[in-house]
Amino acid sequence: MAAKMEDSTRGSGDSSVSSSNMTEIPTVAQIIERQAASSESSAAGGETGPPGSLHHPGFALFKQGAEARLYRGTFLGRPTVLKERFSKKYRHPRLDEKLTTKRTQGEARTVARARKAGIPTPCIYFVNYQSNCIYMEDLRCATTSRDYIVAVQSVGAGDSFRALQPIMDKIGKILATMHDGDIIHGDLTTSNIMLKQDASATDPEVVLIDFGLSSVSQLAEDKGVDLYVLEKAFLSTHPNTETLFRVILKSYTKHSRKSKDVIKKLDEVRLRGRKRTMVG
């Protein structure tokens, strides 16, 4: 009888271990659904977020960075993100106005160029150069690649690499298309690489956002620096993901017509970065 109980206990333990090893990796659609549910529960609990803007009626501030404020609302009946570049008080007013307008124009033109090259970006609805505001598509069914990588890694399952590999491959392909079109993003991070997936889609789509520091350049040096910025941001935000970034580079090399010179410059930039770190 004791032997039977022991066998039963051992069997029970084995099943619990087995179930813990079978932890399910969340999909992009599931992460988006969880985030939407969290937002709804916050609103139901009385957390309504920032109030509407006095300068932009119908829009509510939801994020502010060093260069711009982001508002969420509706424009021409569509869910819209309004990006407003604000003035810098430490600059001369005329210089500040000129720089702010130039950067707004540059961002709008680069996004248009990117979309023409086949790079998924939010659609721009309207640009107001007097107030330096860009009205663009609000990606509702989307999450940042940063949030998705963190969610997958937090599961702690051994096959997280297998789950993330196809997305890294897509990111590498998109970056190759962008650089072959001589577009430099200027601020590549996993927070500026979105993953979009609605209920009807089988696979997530990679969408690039925030071209505020973008430029156009044919130089392999500039493209190498672009990749280096992503690598540093990637590894500092997501520890122990060197193999994932190698998947991005492998895909980039496969799909870019100019990858040989760019990867060579990336190696040179890495070397300069290590020397700078050693010197302090």
Side-chain angles (χ1 to χ4, degrees), residues 91-259:
R91 290 196 295 231
H92 188 280
R94 289 183 62 185
L95 175 62
D96 178 76
E97 182 181 359
K98 185 176 180 179
L99 285 175
T100 305
T101 301
K102 182 178 179 181
R103 289 176 180 174
T104 301
Q105 291 173 338
E107 180 173 2
R109 288 171 180 168
T110 304
V111 170
R113 183 178 180 131
R115 290 181 65 84
K116 187 176 181 180
I119 302 165
T121 68
C123 179
I124 292 182
Y125 299 142
F126 178 68
V127 182
N128 187 332
Y129 291 116
Q130 291 185 331
S131 59
N132 292 304
C133 291
I134 300 177
Y135 295 73
M136 67 187 80
E137 176 187 4
D138 187 359
L139 301 177
R140 291 295 179 92
C141 298
T143 185
T144 65
S145 58
R146 177 186 184 279
D147 287 346
Y148 184 62
I149 293 171
V150 169
V152 170
Q153 288 185 322
S154 67
V155 172
D159 53 355
S160 60
F161 174 80
R162 186 175 62 184
L164 292 169
Q165 186 176 4
I167 292 174
M168 299 302 110
D169 186 73
K170 287 186 178 183
I171 291 174
K173 183 177 180 180
I174 290 295
L175 297 183
T177 303
M178 181 180 73
H179 282 171
D180 280 0
D182 295 330
I183 299 169
I184 310 300
H185 187 279
D187 191 21
L188 282 175
T189 67
T190 51
S191 293
N192 288 335
I193 301 175
M194 304 289 290
L195 301 176
K196 181 181 178 182
Q197 185 175 22
D198 54 31
S200 61
T202 55
D203 295 313
E205 178 185 14
V206 175
V207 181
L208 298 184
I209 64 170
D210 197 357
F211 284 79
L213 298 177
S214 62
S215 60
V216 176
S217 172
Q218 297 180 351
L219 298 177
E221 168 87 9
D222 292 335
K223 298 170 186 178
V225 170
D226 221 19
L227 293 178
Y228 181 70
V229 169
L230 176 60
E231 182 179 36
K232 296 293 286 184
F234 200 97
L235 300 181
S236 63
T237 307
H238 312 286
N240 305 317
T241 53
E242 292 84 357
T243 52
L244 288 178
F245 190 77
R246 282 199 289 270
V247 173
I248 293 177
L249 289 185
K250 183 177 179 180
S251 176
Y252 181 94
T253 302
K254 176 183 177 182
H255 293 100
S256 173
R257 303 187 308 271
K258 310 171 184 178
S259 63

